[in-house]
Short mmCIF file of all heavy atoms in Angstrom, two decimals:
data_model
loop_
_atom_site.label_atom_id
_atom_site.label_comp_id
_atom_site.label_asym_id
_atom_site.label_seq_id
_atom_site.Cartn_x
_atom_site.Cartn_y
_atom_site.Cartn_z
N MET A 1 0.84 -1.21 0.01
CA MET A 1 0.01 0.01 0.00
C MET A 1 0.88 1.25 0.01
O MET A 1 1.72 1.42 0.88
CB MET A 1 -0.89 -0.04 1.24
CG MET A 1 -1.93 1.06 1.28
SD MET A 1 -3.32 0.71 0.26
CE MET A 1 -4.45 2.00 0.79
N ALA A 2 0.71 2.04 -1.00
CA ALA A 2 1.60 3.21 -1.16
C ALA A 2 0.88 4.54 -0.88
O ALA A 2 1.34 5.57 -1.29
CB ALA A 2 2.16 3.22 -2.57
N ARG A 3 -0.25 4.46 -0.19
CA ARG A 3 -0.98 5.69 0.05
C ARG A 3 -0.25 6.63 0.98
O ARG A 3 0.26 6.20 2.03
CB ARG A 3 -2.40 5.37 0.60
CG ARG A 3 -3.28 6.57 0.78
CD ARG A 3 -4.73 6.22 0.88
NE ARG A 3 -5.29 5.71 -0.37
CZ ARG A 3 -5.72 6.49 -1.37
NH1 ARG A 3 -5.61 7.81 -1.30
NH2 ARG A 3 -6.18 5.95 -2.48
N LYS A 4 -0.20 7.88 0.59
CA LYS A 4 0.53 8.87 1.38
C LYS A 4 -0.42 10.06 1.62
O LYS A 4 -1.22 10.40 0.76
CB LYS A 4 1.75 9.33 0.56
CG LYS A 4 2.85 9.90 1.38
CD LYS A 4 4.09 10.17 0.62
CE LYS A 4 4.92 11.14 1.45
NZ LYS A 4 5.91 11.86 0.72
N THR A 5 -0.31 10.69 2.77
CA THR A 5 -1.21 11.76 3.12
C THR A 5 -0.44 13.11 3.13
O THR A 5 0.67 13.18 3.65
CB THR A 5 -1.87 11.51 4.50
OG1 THR A 5 -2.62 10.33 4.41
CG2 THR A 5 -2.78 12.67 4.87
N TYR A 6 -1.08 14.12 2.55
CA TYR A 6 -0.52 15.47 2.48
C TYR A 6 -1.47 16.36 3.31
O TYR A 6 -2.67 16.38 3.06
CB TYR A 6 -0.44 15.93 1.02
CG TYR A 6 0.46 15.03 0.20
CD1 TYR A 6 -0.08 13.87 -0.37
CD2 TYR A 6 1.80 15.28 0.00
CE1 TYR A 6 0.70 13.01 -1.14
CE2 TYR A 6 2.61 14.43 -0.74
CZ TYR A 6 2.04 13.28 -1.31
OH TYR A 6 2.83 12.45 -2.03
N THR A 7 -0.88 17.11 4.20
CA THR A 7 -1.70 17.82 5.18
C THR A 7 -1.96 19.26 4.79
O THR A 7 -1.07 19.95 4.25
CB THR A 7 -0.96 17.84 6.55
OG1 THR A 7 -0.62 16.47 6.84
CG2 THR A 7 -1.83 18.37 7.64
N GLY A 8 -3.19 19.70 4.97
CA GLY A 8 -3.55 21.10 4.72
C GLY A 8 -4.26 21.66 5.93
O GLY A 8 -4.59 20.95 6.88
N PRO A 9 -4.59 22.99 5.87
CA PRO A 9 -5.19 23.65 7.02
C PRO A 9 -6.65 23.28 7.26
O PRO A 9 -7.14 23.32 8.37
CB PRO A 9 -5.05 25.14 6.72
CG PRO A 9 -4.95 25.16 5.21
CD PRO A 9 -4.27 23.94 4.79
N ILE A 10 -7.35 22.93 6.18
CA ILE A 10 -8.79 22.62 6.29
C ILE A 10 -9.04 21.14 6.08
O ILE A 10 -9.82 20.51 6.78
CB ILE A 10 -9.63 23.49 5.32
CG1 ILE A 10 -9.49 24.96 5.68
CG2 ILE A 10 -11.11 23.02 5.34
CD1 ILE A 10 -10.24 25.91 4.75
N LEU A 11 -8.31 20.58 5.10
CA LEU A 11 -8.42 19.15 4.84
C LEU A 11 -7.11 18.59 4.34
O LEU A 11 -6.23 19.32 3.89
CB LEU A 11 -9.59 18.86 3.87
CG LEU A 11 -9.80 19.82 2.68
CD1 LEU A 11 -8.86 19.54 1.56
CD2 LEU A 11 -11.23 19.69 2.22
N ASP A 12 -7.01 17.31 4.42
CA ASP A 12 -5.82 16.58 3.96
C ASP A 12 -6.18 15.87 2.66
O ASP A 12 -7.37 15.56 2.41
CB ASP A 12 -5.31 15.58 4.97
CG ASP A 12 -4.98 16.19 6.30
OD1 ASP A 12 -4.80 17.44 6.34
OD2 ASP A 12 -4.89 15.47 7.29
N VAL A 13 -5.18 15.56 1.87
CA VAL A 13 -5.38 14.80 0.64
C VAL A 13 -4.45 13.60 0.70
O VAL A 13 -3.25 13.76 1.00
CB VAL A 13 -5.05 15.64 -0.63
CG1 VAL A 13 -5.14 14.80 -1.89
CG2 VAL A 13 -6.01 16.82 -0.75
N SER A 14 -5.00 12.43 0.45
CA SER A 14 -4.10 11.26 0.36
C SER A 14 -4.06 10.79 -1.09
O SER A 14 -4.98 11.00 -1.90
CB SER A 14 -4.55 10.14 1.29
OG SER A 14 -5.71 9.54 0.82
N TYR A 15 -2.96 10.13 -1.40
CA TYR A 15 -2.67 9.73 -2.77
C TYR A 15 -2.04 8.36 -2.80
O TYR A 15 -1.13 8.07 -2.02
CB TYR A 15 -1.73 10.76 -3.40
CG TYR A 15 -1.21 10.39 -4.75
CD1 TYR A 15 -2.04 10.36 -5.87
CD2 TYR A 15 0.14 10.07 -4.94
CE1 TYR A 15 -1.56 10.00 -7.14
CE2 TYR A 15 0.64 9.72 -6.21
CZ TYR A 15 -0.23 9.70 -7.27
OH TYR A 15 0.26 9.37 -8.52
N ASP A 16 -2.52 7.52 -3.70
CA ASP A 16 -1.97 6.17 -3.87
C ASP A 16 -1.44 6.02 -5.31
O ASP A 16 -2.23 5.94 -6.24
CB ASP A 16 -3.03 5.12 -3.58
CG ASP A 16 -2.44 3.72 -3.55
OD1 ASP A 16 -1.35 3.50 -4.11
OD2 ASP A 16 -3.12 2.83 -3.01
N ILE A 17 -0.13 6.03 -5.45
CA ILE A 17 0.47 6.01 -6.77
C ILE A 17 0.12 4.69 -7.50
O ILE A 17 0.09 4.66 -8.72
CB ILE A 17 2.00 6.20 -6.68
CG1 ILE A 17 2.59 6.48 -8.04
CG2 ILE A 17 2.65 4.98 -6.02
CD1 ILE A 17 4.05 6.93 -8.02
N ASP A 18 -0.18 3.64 -6.76
CA ASP A 18 -0.44 2.35 -7.40
C ASP A 18 -1.76 2.34 -8.18
O ASP A 18 -1.91 1.54 -9.08
CB ASP A 18 -0.46 1.23 -6.37
CG ASP A 18 0.89 0.99 -5.75
OD1 ASP A 18 1.90 1.37 -6.39
OD2 ASP A 18 0.96 0.44 -4.63
N VAL A 19 -2.71 3.21 -7.84
CA VAL A 19 -3.97 3.21 -8.58
C VAL A 19 -4.11 4.43 -9.49
O VAL A 19 -5.04 4.54 -10.26
CB VAL A 19 -5.18 3.12 -7.64
CG1 VAL A 19 -5.24 1.77 -6.98
CG2 VAL A 19 -5.18 4.23 -6.62
N CYS A 20 -3.17 5.37 -9.41
CA CYS A 20 -3.19 6.56 -10.28
C CYS A 20 -3.00 6.16 -11.75
O CYS A 20 -2.14 5.34 -12.07
CB CYS A 20 -2.08 7.51 -9.89
SG CYS A 20 -1.96 8.97 -10.93
N ARG A 21 -3.87 6.70 -12.63
CA ARG A 21 -3.77 6.43 -14.08
C ARG A 21 -3.06 7.56 -14.79
O ARG A 21 -3.08 7.61 -16.00
CB ARG A 21 -5.14 6.24 -14.69
CG ARG A 21 -5.90 5.12 -14.06
CD ARG A 21 -5.53 3.77 -14.63
NE ARG A 21 -5.95 2.76 -13.67
CZ ARG A 21 -5.85 1.48 -13.87
NH1 ARG A 21 -5.31 1.04 -14.97
NH2 ARG A 21 -6.27 0.64 -13.00
N HIS A 22 -2.55 8.52 -14.07
CA HIS A 22 -1.83 9.63 -14.63
C HIS A 22 -2.63 10.41 -15.70
O HIS A 22 -2.08 10.83 -16.70
CB HIS A 22 -0.47 9.17 -15.20
CG HIS A 22 0.31 8.41 -14.15
ND1 HIS A 22 0.85 9.04 -13.04
CD2 HIS A 22 0.58 7.10 -14.01
CE1 HIS A 22 1.46 8.12 -12.27
NE2 HIS A 22 1.30 6.97 -12.84
N ALA A 23 -3.92 10.48 -15.47
CA ALA A 23 -4.81 11.22 -16.38
C ALA A 23 -4.64 12.71 -16.24
O ALA A 23 -5.11 13.47 -17.09
CB ALA A 23 -6.26 10.82 -16.17
N ALA A 24 -4.01 13.15 -15.16
CA ALA A 24 -3.66 14.56 -14.93
C ALA A 24 -4.87 15.47 -14.75
O ALA A 24 -4.77 16.67 -14.88
CB ALA A 24 -2.75 15.09 -16.03
N ARG A 25 -6.04 14.86 -14.44
CA ARG A 25 -7.21 15.74 -14.20
C ARG A 25 -6.96 16.64 -12.99
O ARG A 25 -7.41 17.78 -12.95
CB ARG A 25 -8.45 14.89 -13.94
CG ARG A 25 -9.09 14.47 -15.21
CD ARG A 25 -10.50 14.10 -14.97
NE ARG A 25 -10.92 13.16 -16.03
CZ ARG A 25 -12.02 12.53 -16.04
NH1 ARG A 25 -12.92 12.71 -15.10
NH2 ARG A 25 -12.34 11.71 -17.01
N CYS A 26 -6.26 16.10 -12.00
CA CYS A 26 -6.00 16.89 -10.81
C CYS A 26 -5.08 18.06 -11.16
O CYS A 26 -5.33 19.19 -10.70
CB CYS A 26 -5.33 16.00 -9.75
SG CYS A 26 -3.92 15.06 -10.38
N VAL A 27 -4.08 17.82 -11.97
CA VAL A 27 -3.11 18.87 -12.34
C VAL A 27 -3.82 19.98 -13.09
O VAL A 27 -3.54 21.16 -12.87
CB VAL A 27 -1.96 18.26 -13.16
CG1 VAL A 27 -1.00 19.34 -13.65
CG2 VAL A 27 -1.21 17.20 -12.35
N HIS A 28 -4.70 19.61 -14.00
CA HIS A 28 -5.45 20.63 -14.75
C HIS A 28 -6.51 21.33 -13.90
O HIS A 28 -6.80 22.48 -14.08
CB HIS A 28 -6.06 20.05 -16.00
CG HIS A 28 -5.01 19.55 -16.98
ND1 HIS A 28 -4.08 20.38 -17.55
CD2 HIS A 28 -4.77 18.32 -17.46
CE1 HIS A 28 -3.30 19.67 -18.38
NE2 HIS A 28 -3.70 18.43 -18.32
N GLY A 29 -7.07 20.56 -12.96
CA GLY A 29 -8.18 21.08 -12.18
C GLY A 29 -7.76 22.10 -11.13
O GLY A 29 -8.46 23.09 -10.89
N MET A 30 -6.61 21.88 -10.51
CA MET A 30 -6.15 22.81 -9.47
C MET A 30 -4.63 22.78 -9.44
O MET A 30 -4.02 22.20 -8.53
CB MET A 30 -6.76 22.42 -8.12
CG MET A 30 -6.86 23.56 -7.14
SD MET A 30 -7.93 23.16 -5.73
CE MET A 30 -7.81 24.71 -4.79
N PRO A 31 -3.97 23.44 -10.42
CA PRO A 31 -2.54 23.38 -10.55
C PRO A 31 -1.80 23.93 -9.36
O PRO A 31 -0.63 23.58 -9.13
CB PRO A 31 -2.23 24.14 -11.83
CG PRO A 31 -3.46 24.91 -12.15
CD PRO A 31 -4.62 24.19 -11.50
N GLU A 32 -2.45 24.82 -8.59
CA GLU A 32 -1.77 25.38 -7.42
C GLU A 32 -1.57 24.32 -6.32
O GLU A 32 -0.75 24.50 -5.43
CB GLU A 32 -2.48 26.64 -6.91
CG GLU A 32 -3.88 26.44 -6.42
CD GLU A 32 -4.94 26.57 -7.53
OE1 GLU A 32 -4.74 26.03 -8.63
OE2 GLU A 32 -5.99 27.17 -7.23
N VAL A 33 -2.39 23.26 -6.35
CA VAL A 33 -2.25 22.18 -5.37
C VAL A 33 -1.45 21.02 -5.96
O VAL A 33 -0.62 20.46 -5.29
CB VAL A 33 -3.65 21.72 -4.91
CG1 VAL A 33 -3.49 20.44 -4.02
CG2 VAL A 33 -4.38 22.79 -4.15
N PHE A 34 -1.76 20.67 -7.21
CA PHE A 34 -1.12 19.52 -7.86
C PHE A 34 -0.12 19.96 -8.88
O PHE A 34 -0.48 20.48 -9.95
CB PHE A 34 -2.23 18.64 -8.50
CG PHE A 34 -3.27 18.17 -7.54
CD1 PHE A 34 -4.48 18.82 -7.44
CD2 PHE A 34 -3.05 17.08 -6.71
CE1 PHE A 34 -5.46 18.42 -6.52
CE2 PHE A 34 -4.00 16.65 -5.79
CZ PHE A 34 -5.23 17.33 -5.72
N ASP A 35 1.13 19.84 -8.56
CA ASP A 35 2.19 20.31 -9.43
C ASP A 35 3.29 19.26 -9.45
O ASP A 35 4.03 19.08 -8.48
CB ASP A 35 2.77 21.64 -8.92
CG ASP A 35 3.88 22.19 -9.80
OD1 ASP A 35 4.34 21.49 -10.75
OD2 ASP A 35 4.31 23.34 -9.56
N THR A 36 3.37 18.51 -10.57
CA THR A 36 4.30 17.39 -10.64
C THR A 36 5.78 17.83 -10.70
O THR A 36 6.65 17.01 -10.59
CB THR A 36 3.99 16.52 -11.87
OG1 THR A 36 3.99 17.34 -13.03
CG2 THR A 36 2.64 15.82 -11.73
N HIS A 37 6.00 19.15 -10.89
CA HIS A 37 7.35 19.62 -10.91
C HIS A 37 7.87 20.04 -9.54
O HIS A 37 9.00 20.54 -9.38
CB HIS A 37 7.51 20.81 -11.88
CG HIS A 37 7.16 20.43 -13.29
ND1 HIS A 37 7.87 19.55 -14.04
CD2 HIS A 37 6.09 20.81 -14.05
CE1 HIS A 37 7.30 19.41 -15.24
NE2 HIS A 37 6.20 20.14 -15.25
N ARG A 38 6.97 19.93 -8.53
CA ARG A 38 7.31 20.36 -7.18
C ARG A 38 7.40 19.14 -6.26
O ARG A 38 6.80 18.10 -6.53
CB ARG A 38 6.21 21.32 -6.73
CG ARG A 38 6.45 22.01 -5.41
CD ARG A 38 5.19 22.79 -5.02
NE ARG A 38 4.02 21.93 -4.99
CZ ARG A 38 2.77 22.34 -5.18
NH1 ARG A 38 2.54 23.61 -5.44
NH2 ARG A 38 1.76 21.49 -5.14
N LYS A 39 8.11 19.27 -5.18
CA LYS A 39 8.20 18.22 -4.18
C LYS A 39 7.82 18.77 -2.85
O LYS A 39 8.50 19.74 -2.43
CB LYS A 39 9.63 17.63 -4.16
CG LYS A 39 9.69 16.19 -4.47
CD LYS A 39 11.13 15.71 -4.49
CE LYS A 39 11.36 14.32 -4.20
NZ LYS A 39 10.57 13.25 -4.15
N PRO A 40 6.83 18.28 -2.14
CA PRO A 40 5.90 17.26 -2.60
C PRO A 40 4.96 17.81 -3.67
O PRO A 40 4.67 18.99 -3.68
CB PRO A 40 5.14 16.89 -1.35
CG PRO A 40 5.17 18.12 -0.50
CD PRO A 40 6.49 18.78 -0.78
N TRP A 41 4.50 16.94 -4.55
CA TRP A 41 3.73 17.41 -5.70
C TRP A 41 2.29 17.76 -5.33
O TRP A 41 1.60 18.43 -6.11
CB TRP A 41 3.79 16.41 -6.84
CG TRP A 41 2.90 15.21 -6.72
CD1 TRP A 41 3.12 14.14 -5.97
CD2 TRP A 41 1.63 15.00 -7.39
NE1 TRP A 41 2.08 13.22 -6.13
CE2 TRP A 41 1.17 13.73 -6.97
CE3 TRP A 41 0.87 15.75 -8.29
CZ2 TRP A 41 -0.05 13.21 -7.42
CZ3 TRP A 41 -0.33 15.23 -8.72
CH2 TRP A 41 -0.78 13.98 -8.30
N ILE A 42 1.84 17.30 -4.18
CA ILE A 42 0.52 17.69 -3.71
C ILE A 42 0.69 18.61 -2.49
O ILE A 42 1.38 18.28 -1.53
CB ILE A 42 -0.31 16.46 -3.26
CG1 ILE A 42 -0.51 15.54 -4.44
CG2 ILE A 42 -1.67 16.88 -2.66
CD1 ILE A 42 -1.19 14.19 -4.11
N ASP A 43 0.11 19.83 -2.56
CA ASP A 43 0.23 20.77 -1.47
C ASP A 43 -1.14 21.35 -1.11
O ASP A 43 -1.56 22.37 -1.65
CB ASP A 43 1.19 21.89 -1.84
CG ASP A 43 1.38 22.88 -0.70
OD1 ASP A 43 0.97 22.55 0.44
OD2 ASP A 43 1.95 23.97 -0.90
N PRO A 44 -1.87 20.69 -0.18
CA PRO A 44 -3.17 21.17 0.25
C PRO A 44 -3.10 22.45 1.07
O PRO A 44 -4.16 23.03 1.42
CB PRO A 44 -3.79 20.03 1.07
CG PRO A 44 -2.86 18.87 0.87
CD PRO A 44 -1.54 19.46 0.53
N GLU A 45 -1.92 22.92 1.40
CA GLU A 45 -1.77 24.15 2.21
C GLU A 45 -2.45 25.34 1.55
O GLU A 45 -2.91 26.22 2.24
CB GLU A 45 -0.25 24.47 2.38
CG GLU A 45 0.44 23.61 3.43
CD GLU A 45 0.09 24.01 4.84
OE1 GLU A 45 -0.42 25.10 5.06
OE2 GLU A 45 0.36 23.19 5.75
N VAL A 46 -2.44 25.38 0.24
CA VAL A 46 -3.02 26.55 -0.47
C VAL A 46 -4.55 26.56 -0.38
O VAL A 46 -5.16 27.61 -0.65
CB VAL A 46 -2.55 26.65 -1.91
CG1 VAL A 46 -1.04 26.73 -2.01
CG2 VAL A 46 -3.08 25.51 -2.76
N ALA A 47 -5.15 25.45 -0.06
CA ALA A 47 -6.62 25.39 0.11
C ALA A 47 -6.96 25.85 1.50
O ALA A 47 -7.42 25.09 2.35
CB ALA A 47 -7.11 23.98 -0.17
N ASP A 48 -6.79 27.18 1.74
CA ASP A 48 -6.86 27.70 3.09
C ASP A 48 -8.13 28.55 3.32
O ASP A 48 -8.24 29.22 4.32
CB ASP A 48 -5.61 28.50 3.41
CG ASP A 48 -5.37 29.65 2.43
OD1 ASP A 48 -6.14 29.77 1.47
OD2 ASP A 48 -4.41 30.40 2.62
N THR A 49 -9.05 28.51 2.38
CA THR A 49 -10.35 29.15 2.61
C THR A 49 -11.43 28.12 2.30
O THR A 49 -11.16 27.14 1.58
CB THR A 49 -10.56 30.36 1.66
OG1 THR A 49 -10.62 29.88 0.31
CG2 THR A 49 -9.44 31.39 1.78
N PRO A 50 -12.65 28.33 2.83
CA PRO A 50 -13.73 27.35 2.54
C PRO A 50 -13.96 27.18 1.05
O PRO A 50 -14.24 26.06 0.58
CB PRO A 50 -14.95 27.97 3.22
CG PRO A 50 -14.38 28.78 4.33
CD PRO A 50 -13.06 29.33 3.80
N GLU A 51 -13.82 28.28 0.30
CA GLU A 51 -14.05 28.18 -1.17
C GLU A 51 -12.98 27.33 -1.85
O GLU A 51 -13.29 26.48 -2.68
CB GLU A 51 -14.04 29.61 -1.80
CG GLU A 51 -15.19 30.51 -1.34
CD GLU A 51 -15.03 31.05 0.05
OE1 GLU A 51 -13.91 31.11 0.60
OE2 GLU A 51 -16.06 31.45 0.65
N LYS A 52 -11.71 27.57 -1.48
CA LYS A 52 -10.63 26.79 -2.08
C LYS A 52 -10.71 25.33 -1.63
O LYS A 52 -10.44 24.42 -2.41
CB LYS A 52 -9.27 27.39 -1.70
CG LYS A 52 -8.99 28.73 -2.39
CD LYS A 52 -7.62 29.21 -1.95
CE LYS A 52 -7.38 30.66 -2.32
NZ LYS A 52 -6.14 31.19 -1.70
N ALA A 53 -11.12 25.11 -0.38
CA ALA A 53 -11.25 23.73 0.11
C ALA A 53 -12.34 22.99 -0.65
O ALA A 53 -12.21 21.82 -1.01
CB ALA A 53 -11.54 23.76 1.60
N GLN A 54 -13.44 23.74 -0.97
CA GLN A 54 -14.52 23.09 -1.76
C GLN A 54 -14.03 22.76 -3.16
O GLN A 54 -14.38 21.70 -3.69
CB GLN A 54 -15.77 24.00 -1.77
CG GLN A 54 -16.97 23.35 -2.42
CD GLN A 54 -17.30 22.01 -1.77
OE1 GLN A 54 -17.40 21.88 -0.54
NE2 GLN A 54 -17.46 20.94 -2.59
N LYS A 55 -13.26 23.68 -3.72
CA LYS A 55 -12.73 23.41 -5.06
C LYS A 55 -11.84 22.17 -5.03
O LYS A 55 -11.88 21.32 -5.93
CB LYS A 55 -11.95 24.61 -5.59
CG LYS A 55 -11.52 24.40 -7.03
CD LYS A 55 -10.86 25.59 -7.65
CE LYS A 55 -10.44 25.24 -9.10
NZ LYS A 55 -9.48 26.18 -9.65
N LEU A 56 -11.04 22.04 -3.99
CA LEU A 56 -10.17 20.89 -3.88
C LEU A 56 -11.00 19.60 -3.72
O LEU A 56 -10.67 18.57 -4.33
CB LEU A 56 -9.22 21.09 -2.67
CG LEU A 56 -8.21 19.98 -2.42
CD1 LEU A 56 -7.39 19.66 -3.65
CD2 LEU A 56 -7.32 20.35 -1.24
N ARG A 57 -12.09 19.66 -2.96
CA ARG A 57 -12.96 18.51 -2.84
C ARG A 57 -13.49 18.12 -4.22
O ARG A 57 -13.54 16.95 -4.58
CB ARG A 57 -14.16 18.80 -1.94
CG ARG A 57 -13.82 18.81 -0.48
CD ARG A 57 -15.10 18.98 0.38
NE ARG A 57 -14.76 19.33 1.74
CZ ARG A 57 -14.71 20.60 2.18
NH1 ARG A 57 -15.03 21.59 1.38
NH2 ARG A 57 -14.36 20.81 3.43
N ASP A 58 -13.89 19.15 -5.02
CA ASP A 58 -14.46 18.87 -6.34
C ASP A 58 -13.41 18.24 -7.26
O ASP A 58 -13.71 17.29 -8.00
CB ASP A 58 -14.98 20.16 -6.98
CG ASP A 58 -16.17 20.73 -6.23
OD1 ASP A 58 -16.81 19.96 -5.43
OD2 ASP A 58 -16.49 21.91 -6.43
N VAL A 59 -12.20 18.77 -7.23
CA VAL A 59 -11.13 18.24 -8.09
C VAL A 59 -10.80 16.80 -7.70
O VAL A 59 -10.65 15.91 -8.53
CB VAL A 59 -9.88 19.15 -8.03
CG1 VAL A 59 -8.69 18.49 -8.69
CG2 VAL A 59 -10.18 20.49 -8.71
N VAL A 60 -10.71 16.57 -6.40
CA VAL A 60 -10.41 15.18 -5.93
C VAL A 60 -11.51 14.24 -6.31
O VAL A 60 -11.26 13.09 -6.73
CB VAL A 60 -10.16 15.19 -4.40
CG1 VAL A 60 -10.16 13.78 -3.84
CG2 VAL A 60 -8.81 15.88 -4.10
N SER A 61 -12.76 14.71 -6.23
CA SER A 61 -13.85 13.77 -6.59
C SER A 61 -13.92 13.53 -8.08
O SER A 61 -14.55 12.56 -8.53
CB SER A 61 -15.19 14.29 -6.03
OG SER A 61 -15.54 15.46 -6.69
N ALA A 62 -13.25 14.38 -8.89
CA ALA A 62 -13.21 14.16 -10.34
C ALA A 62 -12.10 13.23 -10.75
O ALA A 62 -11.99 12.86 -11.93
CB ALA A 62 -13.06 15.47 -11.05
N CYS A 63 -11.29 12.80 -9.84
CA CYS A 63 -10.22 11.84 -10.11
C CYS A 63 -10.86 10.54 -10.59
O CYS A 63 -11.72 10.01 -9.94
CB CYS A 63 -9.38 11.60 -8.86
SG CYS A 63 -8.18 10.26 -9.04
N PRO A 64 -10.48 10.05 -11.81
CA PRO A 64 -11.14 8.88 -12.37
C PRO A 64 -10.83 7.57 -11.65
O PRO A 64 -11.48 6.57 -11.90
CB PRO A 64 -10.63 8.88 -13.80
CG PRO A 64 -9.34 9.61 -13.77
CD PRO A 64 -9.44 10.62 -12.69
N THR A 65 -9.85 7.59 -10.79
CA THR A 65 -9.58 6.43 -9.99
C THR A 65 -9.76 6.85 -8.52
O THR A 65 -10.14 7.96 -8.24
CB THR A 65 -8.10 5.97 -10.16
OG1 THR A 65 -7.25 6.94 -9.60
CG2 THR A 65 -7.79 5.78 -11.67
N SER A 66 -9.50 5.97 -7.59
CA SER A 66 -9.54 6.36 -6.20
C SER A 66 -8.14 6.68 -5.71
O SER A 66 -7.86 6.56 -4.51
CB SER A 66 -10.21 5.27 -5.35
OG SER A 66 -9.51 4.06 -5.56
N ALA A 67 -7.30 7.12 -6.63
CA ALA A 67 -5.92 7.50 -6.23
C ALA A 67 -5.94 8.66 -5.22
O ALA A 67 -5.16 8.67 -4.28
CB ALA A 67 -5.12 7.87 -7.46
N LEU A 68 -6.82 9.62 -5.47
CA LEU A 68 -6.91 10.77 -4.57
C LEU A 68 -8.13 10.61 -3.66
O LEU A 68 -9.20 10.25 -4.12
CB LEU A 68 -7.08 12.07 -5.37
CG LEU A 68 -5.89 12.53 -6.20
CD1 LEU A 68 -6.28 13.79 -6.99
CD2 LEU A 68 -4.69 12.84 -5.30
N LEU A 69 -7.93 10.88 -2.38
CA LEU A 69 -9.03 10.89 -1.43
C LEU A 69 -8.87 12.08 -0.53
O LEU A 69 -7.76 12.49 -0.18
CB LEU A 69 -9.01 9.61 -0.59
CG LEU A 69 -9.29 8.28 -1.30
CD1 LEU A 69 -9.07 7.12 -0.35
CD2 LEU A 69 -10.69 8.26 -1.88
N ILE A 70 -10.01 12.67 -0.18
CA ILE A 70 -10.03 13.76 0.79
C ILE A 70 -10.11 13.17 2.19
O ILE A 70 -10.87 12.23 2.44
CB ILE A 70 -11.29 14.67 0.56
CG1 ILE A 70 -11.14 15.48 -0.72
CG2 ILE A 70 -11.55 15.58 1.75
CD1 ILE A 70 -10.13 16.61 -0.65
N GLU A 71 -9.36 13.73 3.08
CA GLU A 71 -9.47 13.35 4.51
C GLU A 71 -9.84 14.60 5.26
O GLU A 71 -9.03 15.49 5.47
CB GLU A 71 -8.16 12.73 4.98
CG GLU A 71 -7.84 11.46 4.28
CD GLU A 71 -6.55 10.78 4.72
OE1 GLU A 71 -5.98 11.18 5.71
OE2 GLU A 71 -6.12 9.88 4.01
N GLU A 72 -11.10 14.70 5.61
CA GLU A 72 -11.61 15.87 6.35
C GLU A 72 -11.02 15.90 7.74
O GLU A 72 -10.85 14.85 8.40
CB GLU A 72 -13.17 15.82 6.42
CG GLU A 72 -13.84 15.84 5.08
CD GLU A 72 -13.91 17.24 4.44
OE1 GLU A 72 -13.55 18.23 5.10
OE2 GLU A 72 -14.27 17.32 3.27
N HIS A 73 -10.73 17.09 8.23
CA HIS A 73 -10.34 17.22 9.62
C HIS A 73 -11.56 17.07 10.50
O HIS A 73 -12.62 17.57 10.19
CB HIS A 73 -9.71 18.59 9.89
CG HIS A 73 -8.40 18.82 9.20
ND1 HIS A 73 -7.63 19.93 9.38
CD2 HIS A 73 -7.71 18.03 8.29
CE1 HIS A 73 -6.52 19.83 8.63
NE2 HIS A 73 -6.55 18.71 7.99
N SER A 74 -11.44 16.35 11.57
CA SER A 74 -12.58 16.23 12.46
C SER A 74 -12.75 17.52 13.24
O SER A 74 -11.77 18.19 13.58
CB SER A 74 -12.43 15.02 13.39
OG SER A 74 -11.14 15.01 13.92
N ALA A 75 -13.98 17.90 13.55
CA ALA A 75 -14.28 19.18 14.15
C ALA A 75 -13.82 19.22 15.61
O ALA A 75 -13.67 18.22 16.23
CB ALA A 75 -15.78 19.44 14.11
S1 SF4 B 1 -6.65 12.77 -11.42
FE1 SF4 B 1 -6.32 10.92 -10.21
S2 SF4 B 1 -5.72 9.36 -11.67
FE2 SF4 B 1 -5.44 11.36 -12.67
S3 SF4 B 1 -3.31 11.94 -12.31
FE3 SF4 B 1 -4.55 12.84 -10.66
S4 SF4 B 1 -4.45 11.30 -9.04
FE4 SF4 B 1 -3.85 10.27 -10.90
#
């Protein structure tokens, strides 16, 4: 299991390279979070407002595989 979690202020994003199809929908959907030229390539830190967090949820849910998952912070 290669799932890794990236932490942000409102929510975390986890990623499993083994199920990623490299369709790049995430990269096109929210390039400020998903940037394959950066390390780490997923940075949920920029999703620091409710609006940006919702956009991140939408982009993650558009992932054609379950490679990306949102991990909500518990209240
Ligand atoms: S959208 Fe999902 S399957 Fe496509 S590159 Fe991103 S993580 Fe991988």
